Amino acid sequence: MEYQPGLHLLATLYTQRIDLLHESSHWRAFIQHQIKQHALTEVGNCVHDFPLGGYTAVHCLTESHISIHTWPEYGLCTCDVFLSNFRKNNDAITTAIMEELQRFFETTRHESHCIRR
């Protein structure tokens, strides 16, 4: 079987929704829904809320990972979604999750990068 590179999307999302950047409870519900909706398999996660606001999270998946780091003081977050194409082509799911991230944060502007690996 030949290796098929997966799609790795990285983005900086700008938002007025500081409440969604400040603490992780809304994120936890959102990302669990995304993982379930797209039939992904989470093998672990680490979510940390910072004492003065903001959080960082990594969700490890059998397919690879989803991560985020928020800066409420700047009205932005950085996130990435990477799903391998080992057993099936996951490009559409990777793209859908990134689009849902933008909707979830009600993004006013974003900068993004796409890597095949």
Side-chain angles (χ1 to χ4, degrees):
M1 176 185 348
E2 185 176 327
Y3 178 74
Q4 298 297 318
L7 180 61
H8 192 168
L9 300 177
L10 301 96
T12 301
L13 308 179
Y14 298 86
T15 181
Q16 302 287 322
R17 293 293 310 270
I18 305 307
D19 59 311
L20 297 176
L21 300 173
H22 198 291
E23 58 88 22
S24 67
S25 64
H26 297 291
W27 165 260
R28 290 173 193 256
F30 164 79
I31 201 62
Q32 290 307 312
H33 175 75
Q34 291 299 306
I35 290 168
K36 183 177 180 181
Q37 177 181 344
H38 294 290
L40 301 173
T41 305
E42 185 173 45
V43 294
N45 69 64
C46 182
V47 181
H48 175 77
D49 286 277
F50 295 105
L52 300 177
Y55 56 91
T56 189
V58 177
H59 299 267
C60 299
L61 311 168
T62 58
E63 300 83 4
S64 195
H65 71 275
I66 301 169
S67 69
I68 187 167
H69 190 92
T70 70
W71 283 275
E73 63 271 31
Y74 299 117
L76 68 85
C77 65
T78 56
C79 51
D80 76 293
V81 180
F82 177 45
L83 300 179
S84 73
N85 288 334
F86 176 64
R87 288 195 160 69
K88 68 175 187 160
N89 187 311
N90 285 308
D91 291 356
I93 295 172
T94 303
T95 301
I97 292 172
M98 186 58 78
E99 289 171 354
E100 285 299 321
L101 277 163
Q102 292 179 32
R103 279 192 281 281
F104 171 74
F105 284 107
E106 298 177 27
T107 302
T108 57
R109 177 170 69 96
H110 74 278
E111 300 162 2
S112 60
H113 302 279
C114 171
I115 301 170
R116 283 273 170 206
R117 59 188 205 120

